[in-house]
Structures are given as C-alpha cells and as structure tokens.
Amino acid sequence: MIEPLLVDRVAVVTGGGGGIGAATARLFAEHGAHVVIAEIDEQLARRTAEEITGSGGSAFAVVTDVRDGNQVAQLARSVLDRYGRVDVLVNNVGHWVRHPGGFASTDPELWDELYRVNLHHVFLVTRAFLPAMLDRRAGAIVNVSSVEGLRGYPEDPVYAAFKAAVIHFTRSLAVQVGHDGVRVNAIGPDVTESLQVPYSQWLTADEQAQWPQWVPVGRMGLPEDQASVILFLASDLSAFVTGHTIPTDGGTGAAGGWFRSSRRSDREWTNRPAAP
C-alpha cells in the first residue's frame, strides 16, 4: 500500500468535474488532499465532489469560468477564506473548441477563443494563487498542455501554438519562482480518453483494435493515467523536479511517427502514410 502523498494539502483542480480533472481530483482525495473542484459545469462539479465526500474524502465544488478574471478572483478568495492556503494548483482546463480547417481561412475570433480556454486562464488562475504560495514559500503548480504543444499539429496550428506557450510558461515561471519554494511542471497528454476527446465513442471497433499498432504501450490512455503523473508532480516525490513537461503519451512521441506494421511481412515497423 502506497503511503498517502498529499495528506492535509489544499489542492485546486480546474476543470475538475470530468475527464482528466475528475480523475485527478479523486486521486488527490485518496491521497489525503482537501480538493477544490473549479468547474464551469455545475452538475459535473457537484457530482464529482459528492463522489469524493461519499467515499470519505474532502472536496468542495466552486462553479467557475476560469476565463473570467472576476470569477477566478472569487475562486481564490473562497479557497483562501476556507483553508488559509493553497498547496497545489492544477491548471487542467483546455479545449480544441472545433476543427478550424486551413489556417488561411480561420476566423481571428476563433483564435481568441482558443487563447482564452488554453492559455489566458493559465495566467489568470496562476496569478490568483501564486502569491499565497510565495508567502508560504511552498507550492506545486501542474499545467496540462498537450502532445500538440510538443510537435507539429497541422490540423490546428493556433491551438498547437497556445499549448506550446503553456510549456514555455511552465519552464520560465519555474525558473523565476524556484528559489521561493514553488515548483512548476506540466504534462503533455496524447491518445487519452477525455471529455473533449472521447475515443471510445469516436472510433469503430476496427479502429480500436489498432491501438497496439498505433501506440507503443498498446492501448488507449485513460484519465487515471494522466492523474497518476499529475500526482507525482504535485507531491514531494518530485521535490527536485521543476520546469519540465512530461509527455504522457503512451510512447507516441518517442516513436516519432513510426508504427507497428500488421501488413508487411518483411518489416515490423513502418513510417509510411498508408494504414499500417
């Protein structure tokens, strides 16, 4: 049995009502944290908080649109009034919004949408909670970026740019506040079931059967896979880790575009654009 890693720590998880955020909130509570679920969807927020408290954990929900500076300020006041501190912040919110088509025909209003939901809120929420961490000279911030911030993403260069910005913000802020006892890290998920990317609904049975060819670990990622790495980065197990983004991608980044071939008898691997 692993010893609890976040006993009595106050952890704020944005987008904590579903998907990766909910899995993180539940895992944090299992490890003894007081979890604050900041979520725009009231029903999801209440349900996840009730699941945690019903299992004996500590959680409460704050309905918040993290794109709104006033609501973020109110969230921070609620947390600090209730607990007097914050130990962990997980900036989990993000969304690709919709497929934009070619960049040349995209609408600048979509760029603004993507900015607010993928990058601007990271600035807003971090600025709201960082001073309390600096005052106590202790804290851990974990940002959720994407594999698309680590590689070229031809379907949506604007989304990719904001996800890459999250990674560089993580790196740069970590250097700035490291001497003040605050660590800042990130994860870069890929091929993981989430609210925005429900692979189990999108893929046919035949497509799902190809996971062993497409992902080195041989399966689709689950929200719990991401939550486990977030827990590591939030806990003292990573006390000497800051400024880094861990690619939580099942090995797709390491594979570098190479896939197992089920159709070629002469070679096990292929990087050809045809189906493997």
Side-chain angles (χ1 to χ4, degrees), residues 64-106:
T64 307
D65 182 345
V66 293
R67 298 168 297 182
D68 184 305
N70 291 329
Q71 293 189 40
V72 169
Q74 181 57 50
L75 168 67
R77 284 193 295 270
S78 297
V79 173
L80 296 175
D81 287 349
R82 186 178 184 117
Y83 295 110
R85 70 183 197 280
V86 61
D87 301 295
V88 177
L89 169 62
V90 180
N91 286 311
N92 168 67
V93 168
H95 195 12
W96 50 266
V97 182
R98 60 184 178 274
H99 290 297
F103 175 75
S105 59
T106 56

Side-chain angles (χ1 to χ4, degrees), residues 101-255:
F103 175 75
S105 59
T106 56
D107 184 345
E109 290 185 4
L110 176 59
W111 306 346
D112 292 339
E113 267 190 270
L114 289 166
Y115 168 61
R116 293 181 65 220
V117 76
N118 289 297
L119 180 60
H120 187 233
H121 80 87
V122 176
F123 298 159
L124 285 177
V125 180
T126 300
R127 188 183 67 170
F129 287 103
L130 182 59
M133 293 181 174
L134 295 175
D135 286 346
R136 298 182 63 248
R137 299 187 63 80
I141 299 170
V142 184
N143 298 318
V144 177
S145 180
S146 168
V147 67
E148 311 305 356
L150 292 162
R151 67 184 181 191
Y153 184 42
E155 286 204 329
D156 193 344
V158 176
Y159 171 86
F162 292 138
K163 287 301 187 181
V166 170
I167 291 171
H168 202 61
F169 175 68
T170 296
R171 183 183 297 122
S172 301
L173 184 63
V175 175
Q176 183 181 97
V177 301
H179 192 67
D180 299 305
V182 180
R183 295 184 302 105
V184 190
N185 290 289
I187 64 169
D190 190 20
V191 292
T192 297
E193 180 90 359
S194 69
L195 288 177
Q196 289 82 16
V197 189
Y199 284 111
S200 60
Q201 299 175 33
W202 285 0
L203 301 182
T204 66
D206 287 344
E207 289 171 327
Q208 292 187 41
Q210 293 181 29
W211 282 114
Q213 278 74 49
W214 288 97
V215 184
V217 300
R219 65 172 176 85
M220 176 183 69
L222 300 174
E224 289 75 16
D225 294 315
Q226 305 297 331
S228 295
V229 182
I230 294 172
L231 173 65
F232 164 70
L233 293 173
S235 76
D236 292 340
L237 290 178
S238 60
F240 203 56
V241 179
T242 195
H244 290 283
T245 297
I246 298 178
T248 46
D249 59 10
T252 58

Side-chain angles (χ1 to χ4, degrees), residues 13 15-18 22 25 35-53 59-64 195:
V13 181
V35 182
V36 180
I37 297 167
E39 170 65 59
I40 195 171
D41 186 316
E42 182 174 3
Q43 184 175 358
L44 282 178
R46 306 293 182 201
R47 184 179 68 192
T48 302
E50 289 169 4
E51 286 176 2
I52 291 172
T53 56
F60 85 102
V62 182
V63 178
T64 307
L195 288 177

